[in-house]
Amino acid sequence: TPVRNPSLLYEFHFSGKTFNARGVGVPGSPIILIGFTDRVAWGMTALGADQADLFLLETDPAHPNEYRFGDEWRPMTFHREIIKVKGREPIEYSVRETHLGPVASAFCFAQRGEGEVALKRIPICESDRETIQGALAMMRAGNAREFDKALAAWRFPSANVVFGDREGNIGYRAVGAIPLRSRRDARNGRRAQPGHTSEHDWRGFLPHDLMPGVTNPAAGFLYSGNHRPVESWYPLPLGAMTGT
């Protein structure tokens, strides 16, 4: 992270009935990325795991705002956006959306005749949970074990986390919602998958206890510097990471 003015990070104290923490975060967000309470302390670096995929839509030129899924043609949902531009007239933009996510062809370097693609991405594809739930649980943790458990609710962005408690317990965990891709996806998300059947969709997410992590290593210390979180023997693909 380069030195800049204004800074990317700012220091603040965040407290309530069940939490009391201090540290640094990104302006506009109540999440403390590097901080401490009277019981635990933690630090984060970017992991950069692959949390997004493209799905190739089957469309009909005669009905461009519909797409096939299974044995039926589904209508796309439209969202009208007004983009305000300083010194110019506002720009109107229509966002088309499918159950997989928004149609993103215009932003994916699509060539003529390649078809439409939908973007499925954490966190926009999850409306029932938020990373703030995990961040609050981290601040409420009474020890390293509870802190590690709280990290299961962290969704986005993916991160490396080192942590410790006042009793001297330390730990590391890679966190984030990592898609379990279809068994038919031999490229592990590196190529758009067919979007007309659920067989090519995500099967869920990698369980927290299978994410790379360690507690109280024999060496007695831990460090994190955006390196690979685990060696090549790890069988579950995390995607192109910052430390690759």
Side-chain angles (χ1 to χ4, degrees), residues 165-223:
D165 62 25
R166 62 189 305 167
E167 279 73 46
N169 300 297
I170 60 174
Y172 162 84
R173 182 72 71 173
V175 298
I178 307 300
L180 284 174
R181 295 176 167 87
S182 168
R183 292 185 176 91
R184 294 174 175 265
D185 185 0
R187 300 293 299 275
N188 293 316
R190 292 191 294 272
R191 177 179 295 173
Q193 292 297 299
H196 66 275
T197 172
S198 59
E199 294 179 356
H200 296 274
D201 200 356
W202 296 350
R203 294 175 289 145
F205 297 96
L206 186 63
H208 178 67
D209 57 1
L210 294 185
M211 292 287 284
V214 64
T215 302
N216 291 333
F221 67 90
L222 287 162
Y223 62 87

Side-chain angles (χ1 to χ4, degrees), residues 107-228:
F107 308 98
C108 298
F109 305 100
Q111 302 299 308
R112 186 182 299 275
E114 284 188 337
E116 303 270 30
V117 291
L119 172 65
K120 187 168 186 176
R121 184 172 193 245
I122 303 296
I124 60 175
C125 67
E126 295 187 318
S127 59
D128 61 338
R129 65 197 76 183
E130 255 296 345
T131 291
I132 186 63
Q133 296 166 330
L136 286 172
M138 290 159 55
M139 298 180 201
R140 293 172 175 143
N143 53 48
R145 178 182 55 80
E146 292 179 4
F147 187 90
D148 186 31
K149 184 178 179 180
L151 291 173
W154 185 280
R155 309 302 291 173
F156 180 87
S158 62
N160 301 289
V161 188
V162 289
F163 53 92
D165 62 25
R166 62 189 305 167
E167 279 73 46
N169 300 297
I170 60 174
Y172 162 84
R173 182 72 71 173
V175 298
I178 307 300
L180 284 174
R181 295 176 167 87
S182 168
R183 292 185 176 91
R184 294 174 175 265
D185 185 0
R187 300 293 299 275
N188 293 316
R190 292 191 294 272
R191 177 179 295 173
Q193 292 297 299
H196 66 275
T197 172
S198 59
E199 294 179 356
H200 296 274
D201 200 356
W202 296 350
R203 294 175 289 145
F205 297 96
L206 186 63
H208 178 67
D209 57 1
L210 294 185
M211 292 287 284
V214 64
T215 302
N216 291 333
F221 67 90
L222 287 162
Y223 62 87
S224 176
N226 294 83
H227 57 287
R228 286 179 62 102

Side-chain angles (χ1 to χ4, degrees), residues 83-85 87-91:
I83 304 171
K84 296 181 179 180
V85 182
R88 295 175 52 189
E89 291 296 315
I91 298 173

Side-chain angles (χ1 to χ4, degrees), residues 27-162:
S29 170
I31 297 176
I32 293 179
L33 301 175
I34 304 170
F36 62 91
T37 70
D38 63 337
R39 298 182 180 182
V40 296
W42 65 93
M44 290 188 173
T45 59
L47 175 60
D50 187 358
Q51 295 180 276
D53 280 338
L54 295 176
F55 289 89
L56 185 62
L57 301 174
E58 186 175 326
T59 58
D60 184 347
H63 305 280
N65 297 322
E66 295 182 355
Y67 66 103
R68 187 172 76 85
F69 186 76
D71 297 326
E72 63 179 3
W73 288 87
R74 296 187 177 185
M76 297 179 185
T77 302
F78 275 77
H79 302 282
R80 182 170 170 267
E81 302 284 349
I82 302 296
I83 304 171
K84 296 181 179 180
V85 182
K86 184 177 181 180
R88 295 175 52 189
E89 291 296 315
I91 298 173
E92 293 190 15
Y93 188 81
S94 292
V95 179
R96 295 178 296 161
E97 192 162 356
T98 71
H99 76 284
L100 292 165
V103 179
S105 315
F107 308 98
C108 298
F109 305 100
Q111 302 299 308
R112 186 182 299 275
E114 284 188 337
E116 303 270 30
V117 291
L119 172 65
K120 187 168 186 176
R121 184 172 193 245
I122 303 296
I124 60 175
C125 67
E126 295 187 318
S127 59
D128 61 338
R129 65 197 76 183
E130 255 296 345
T131 291
I132 186 63
Q133 296 166 330
L136 286 172
M138 290 159 55
M139 298 180 201
R140 293 172 175 143
N143 53 48
R145 178 182 55 80
E146 292 179 4
F147 187 90
D148 186 31
K149 184 178 179 180
L151 291 173
W154 185 280
R155 309 302 291 173
F156 180 87
S158 62
N160 301 289
V161 188
V162 289

